[in-house]
Amino acid sequence: MLRHAKAAHTPGLADRERPLTGRGEGDAKRVGETLQALGLSPDLVLCSPSLRTRRTAELALAQLAPDAPVDFDHGIYQAYADELLELVRRTDPGVRTLLLVGHNPGVHELVLDLTGGEGDPGFPPGAFAVIESAVPWEELEAGRAVTLWTPKSAG
């Protein structure tokens, strides 16, 4: 689960068209580097169609998994945690590693729902959580957070 990196607040610009800031661009690249260092590469990416999520995914995947299929799903934009969970549950059983790129509060709430939320460090822009589960996607209800990463925790 990845929250888009830091986005600009530009007066008059539609929310869906907000670009990443310079810091956001750098943080998104670091997400990809960190996931690569962890040995993780998505088989499929589910991404909100907003500009900031598309750019976050593009930068994170550039070296990590440039050929990973990306499904831009309008249902991710402004989705609640339960809606995101239903989307994840529809993932093809052949997908072993899924990357969902979305927005708060839905992504953060889903991470909390899946992991029990113990010791919640928050979920700022550019944060990601790696959640491990032994059940098929369609049965996903809980998992174990094996990595919680934020741009600030990385220094």
Side-chain angles (χ1 to χ4, degrees):
M1 306 290 170
L2 170 60
R3 180 181 177 191
H4 65 78
K6 184 156 181 63
H9 292 279
T10 307
L13 192 63
D15 183 67
R16 289 179 186 250
E17 298 306 315
R18 292 175 42 213
L20 295 182
T21 63
R23 184 178 117 200
E25 295 252 339
D27 289 347
K29 291 175 187 173
R30 288 179 32 221
V31 165
E33 293 165 0
T34 304
L35 289 171
Q36 189 171 38
L38 293 170
L40 296 170
S41 181
D43 300 316
L44 175 65
V45 179
L46 299 178
C47 186
S48 165
S50 76
L51 178 61
R52 62 192 179 274
T53 49
R54 290 190 331 252
R55 184 68 175 149
T56 298
E58 176 186 344
L59 292 169
L61 295 170
Q63 291 184 356
L64 174 67
D67 297 325
V70 180
D71 180 5
F72 296 102
D73 191 309
H74 292 278
I76 297 171
Y77 185 78
Q78 296 184 334
Y80 293 102
D82 59 334
E83 295 167 316
L84 293 173
L85 180 58
E86 285 307 312
L87 182 66
V88 169
R89 285 179 176 159
R90 291 194 303 262
T91 299
D92 184 279
V95 172
R96 295 193 35 83
T97 303
L98 174 68
L99 175 62
L100 183 133
V101 186
H103 309 266
N104 269 5
V107 171
H108 183 206
E109 291 171 355
L110 180 56
V111 168
L112 294 176
D113 290 351
L114 291 175
T115 64
E118 292 183 32
D120 176 23
F123 218 68
F128 72 79
V130 177
I131 300 169
E132 194 173 77
S133 178
V135 301
W137 296 113
E138 64 188 16
E139 297 173 20
L140 185 64
E141 289 186 17
R144 181 174 66 93
V146 293
T147 302
L148 291 171
W149 184 92
T150 68
K152 287 185 180 181
S153 70

